[in-house]
Amino acid sequence: MAETARQIADDLRARISSGELTPGDRLPGEPALVRDYGVAKETARRALTLLVDEGLAVRRRGSGTYVREFRPIPRVANKRLAKDGWGAGKSIWDADLGDREYTVSDLQVYESEAPRQVARLLELSEGEPVIVRSRRYLVEGEPVQQATSYLPAKQVRDSPIAQPDPGEGGIYRRLADLGLEPVRFSEELRARMPSQEETALLAVSAGTPVVEICRTAFTADGRPIEVNQMLLNAGVYVMQYHLES
Amino acid sequence: MAETARQIADDLRARISSGELTPGDRLPGEPALVRDYGVAKETARRALTLLVDEGLAVRRRGSGTYVREFRPIPRVANKRLAKDGWGAGKSIWDADLGDREYTVSDLQVYESEAPRQVARLLELSEGEPVIVRSRRYLVEGEPVQQATSYLPAKQVRDSPIAQPDPGEGGIYRRLADLGLEPVRFSEELRARMPSQEETALLAVSAGTPVVEICRTAFTADGRPIEVNQMLLNAGVYVMQYHLES
DNA sequence: AAGTGGTCTAGACCACACC
DNA sequence: GTGTGGTCTAGACCACTTA
């Protein structure tokens, strides 16, 4: 009788990976497990919690617990290179935005002091002013990503970059207008579990990590011109990179 | 009285982010929480579980629950480009392998049939033979990564690539010897929670995701020559990419 | 209204760590 | 041995979903 919750979870996991239960299917509920395995409700609950924590199942209050579905959105880091010679877009997870579209929400643009980390990356002194552009991206009404850009205020303050709408082509086009076109990018990625606030911000379901990306953009002469900190709902994204050596 | 477990977790989380409790510190244990908050043991336990699931805390049986530490190892996707013009190795998470070293463990080399996904990426028919190279990487004795490479058997079967020790320079050097040098790479990343087996395989602690990477290597004429599927302990890695546009 | 998940209690027994 | 986490039970009450 030892490890009953784990045993039940193992059973259910086996039924999922065998294909008996497919994504979207309803799992046996807590009362059903209590009946079938003769355990206490809390034990049945713990079994389901294990699957939820693994990201295999999703709970819907009042309705049931379901096998999770995964239909990822591709995030292509370097679109320009992604043309051909890289398997022409072949993917293991058949990632596809399809007809879904990005919507920008909660856009905020303001001037502020550079946080310590950002100041270091931008080669600024601590507390130097930066233009901050923060926004959330939605797909089909669901928040999937939060992004905050930092640019040195002294260089972009008087440009459209400091305005909510930077105009056609976005801030990179405007940087080019200023002779500060970014041509090299450095990205750092880290995956972790979200905090409480982040869970709400990105509507992340239990058992789903987030991916934190910090991207620094450099001009042709190697000077950092923008730092972009992103937070992605990992249940929704596949990141793609194309590299040349 | 509502939401007691979450309340307690919030308190502890606040004490962590305020710096009162720093990485490595011992959190109040279950008995202490029972006493201080006047709750049942299971409730105190649930509070700590919330923090563990967020990756903020680690449990050590018989000892206590501790604030987690994060000292990441950098995984630089394109070392050759990483020289300069990219902030000279500046990093937000001060990732550093330091004097720690990689060890290879559980190396297995064998011929087998290509799994469906791999066959598609390698442009092989389903079931065509591939050379499989599977290994685990350890750092300071701890497993941090699992990697499995697939190469078309018809092209590499008679080379050192099919041997456990492919010799100086590794399999990429040997591919070059065969006129099949990989010059372009495509990587797909996904973060998720590990399965039971993966948790054991990589010694992942609770509340830590894994990162699944699928890398396809292409020769100069754009033909796929290797697929490498990796699984990283996300609590230990920071991924770095350098891109040119 | 019935069914499902969400939270909590008060007790039990076990396994492991540390002194 | 004492303290810590690990698992489980049997009951309670609540909130939400679905029909």
Side-chain angles (χ1 to χ4, degrees):
Chain A
M1 280 308 118
E3 304 281 307
T4 315
R6 279 199 163 78
Q7 265 303 327
I8 298 174
D10 289 347
D11 282 5
L12 296 174
R13 204 180 296 108
R15 291 171 63 182
I16 293 171
S17 60
S18 80
E20 182 191 336
L21 293 165
T22 64
D25 281 2
R26 189 174 178 286
L27 290 165
E30 295 168 10
L33 295 177
V34 167
R35 189 181 359 96
D36 296 351
Y37 288 88
V39 295
K41 185 193 168 182
E42 280 287 351
T43 305
R45 188 169 176 68
R46 270 193 284 264
L48 291 171
T49 300
L50 284 170
L51 298 183
V52 170
D53 286 352
E54 285 169 31
L56 274 180
V58 186
R59 283 200 239 251
R60 289 187 211 139
R61 180 190 289 212
S63 166
T65 303
Y66 297 82
V67 182
R68 161 172 291 179
E69 317 189 51
F70 178 58
R71 287 176 309 134
I73 298 168
R75 175 189 183 269
V76 184
N78 35 5
K79 292 214 181 61
R80 228 149 312 185
L81 294 180
K83 295 280 149 48
D84 219 301
W86 275 273
K90 280 202 191 85
S91 166
I92 9 168
W93 292 298
D94 48 59
D96 192 1
L97 232 191
D99 23 347
R100 298 175 278 181
E101 262 182 19
Y102 273 105
T103 318
V104 174
S105 123
D106 308 304
L107 173 66
Q108 286 184 300
V109 182
Y110 56 92
E111 188 168 330
S112 175
E113 290 183 1
R116 207 169 50 80
Q117 304 278 35
V118 171
R120 218 182 70 238
L121 292 172
L122 285 178
E123 296 175 359
L124 300 175
S125 312
E126 203 170 327
E128 265 194 81
V130 285
I131 299 297
V132 183
R133 301 182 57 93
S134 155
R135 66 275 186 196
R136 247 180 349 154
Y137 294 100
L138 314 180
V139 169
E140 290 178 339
E142 293 289 304
V144 295
Q145 178 181 350
Q146 205 281 328
T148 307
S149 288
Y150 302 87
L151 302 102
K154 62 184 178 216
Q155 295 177 77
V156 305
R157 186 165 13 213
D158 302 321
S159 79
I161 292 169
Q163 303 305 316
D165 180 0
E168 193 62 33
I171 69 167
Y172 284 7
R173 189 75 63 83
R174 294 297 87 72
L175 283 170
D177 295 346
L178 294 170
L180 296 169
E181 189 185 17
V183 297
R184 289 203 282 273
F185 302 89
S186 171
E187 294 203 352
E188 288 184 78
L189 284 80
R190 178 190 164 194
R192 57 174 174 78
M193 292 313 280
S195 69
Q196 300 267 101
E197 294 150 52
E198 291 166 346
T199 300
L201 187 72
L202 293 180
V204 183
S205 40
T208 305
V210 291
V211 174
E212 209 177 335
I213 304 181
C214 179
R215 177 167 76 175
T216 312
F218 299 89
T219 57
D221 56 349
R223 302 246 287 253
I225 187 61
E226 185 220 11
V227 167
N228 191 350
Q229 289 198 337
M230 291 159 270
L231 195 69
L232 321 198
N233 180 336
V236 168
Y237 273 101
V238 165
M239 279 71 64
Q240 297 178 349
Y241 290 90
H242 300 283
L243 311 168
E244 212 131 6
S245 89
Chain B
M1 278 304 120
E3 305 279 309
T4 316
R6 280 199 163 79
Q7 264 303 327
I8 298 174
D10 288 347
D11 282 6
L12 296 174
R13 204 181 294 109
R15 291 171 64 183
I16 293 171
S17 60
S18 80
E20 181 191 335
L21 293 165
T22 64
D25 281 2
R26 187 173 179 288
L27 290 165
E30 294 168 10
L33 295 176
V34 167
R35 189 179 1 94
D36 296 353
Y37 288 88
V39 295
K41 185 194 167 183
E42 280 286 350
T43 305
R45 188 168 177 70
R46 271 192 283 263
L48 291 171
T49 300
L50 285 169
L51 298 182
V52 169
D53 287 351
E54 285 169 31
L56 274 179
V58 187
R59 283 199 239 251
R60 289 186 213 140
R61 182 192 288 218
S63 167
T65 303
Y66 297 82
V67 182
R68 163 171 289 178
E69 318 190 50
F70 178 57
R71 289 174 306 134
I73 298 168
R75 173 186 184 271
V76 184
N78 35 2
K79 293 215 181 59
R80 231 150 307 188
L81 293 181
K83 295 280 149 47
D84 218 300
W86 277 274
K90 279 200 192 88
S91 165
I92 11 167
W93 291 298
D94 47 58
D96 192 1
L97 231 193
D99 21 346
R100 296 175 280 181
E101 262 182 19
Y102 274 105
T103 317
V104 173
S105 126
D106 307 305
L107 174 66
Q108 286 184 299
V109 182
Y110 55 92
E111 187 168 330
S112 175
E113 291 184 1
R116 207 167 49 80
Q117 304 277 36
V118 170
R120 218 182 70 236
L121 292 172
L122 284 177
E123 297 176 355
L124 298 176
S125 311
E126 204 170 325
E128 265 194 80
V130 284
I131 299 297
V132 183
R133 300 183 57 94
S134 154
R135 66 274 188 197
R136 240 169 8 143
Y137 294 101
L138 313 180
V139 169
E140 288 177 342
E142 293 289 305
V144 295
Q145 179 181 347
Q146 205 280 329
T148 307
S149 287
Y150 302 86
L151 302 103
K154 61 183 177 217
Q155 284 165 288
V156 305
R157 184 165 16 213
D158 301 321
S159 78
I161 291 169
Q163 303 303 317
D165 181 2
E168 193 63 32
I171 68 166
Y172 283 8
R173 189 76 62 83
R174 294 296 86 74
L175 284 171
D177 295 346
L178 294 172
L180 296 168
E181 187 184 17
V183 297
R184 288 204 283 274
F185 303 89
S186 170
E187 294 202 352
E188 288 185 78
L189 284 79
R190 179 192 162 190
R192 57 173 174 79
M193 294 312 281
S195 69
Q196 301 268 103
E197 294 150 52
E198 291 166 345
T199 301
L201 187 73
L202 293 180
V204 183
S205 41
T208 305
V210 292
V211 174
E212 208 177 335
I213 304 181
C214 179
R215 177 166 77 175
T216 311
F218 298 90
T219 58
D221 56 348
R223 301 245 287 253
I225 188 62
E226 185 220 10
V227 167
N228 191 350
Q229 289 199 336
M230 293 160 269
L231 195 69
L232 321 197
N233 180 336
V236 169
Y237 274 101
V238 166
M239 279 71 65
Q240 298 178 349
Y241 290 90
H242 300 283
L243 311 169
E244 213 131 6
S245 87

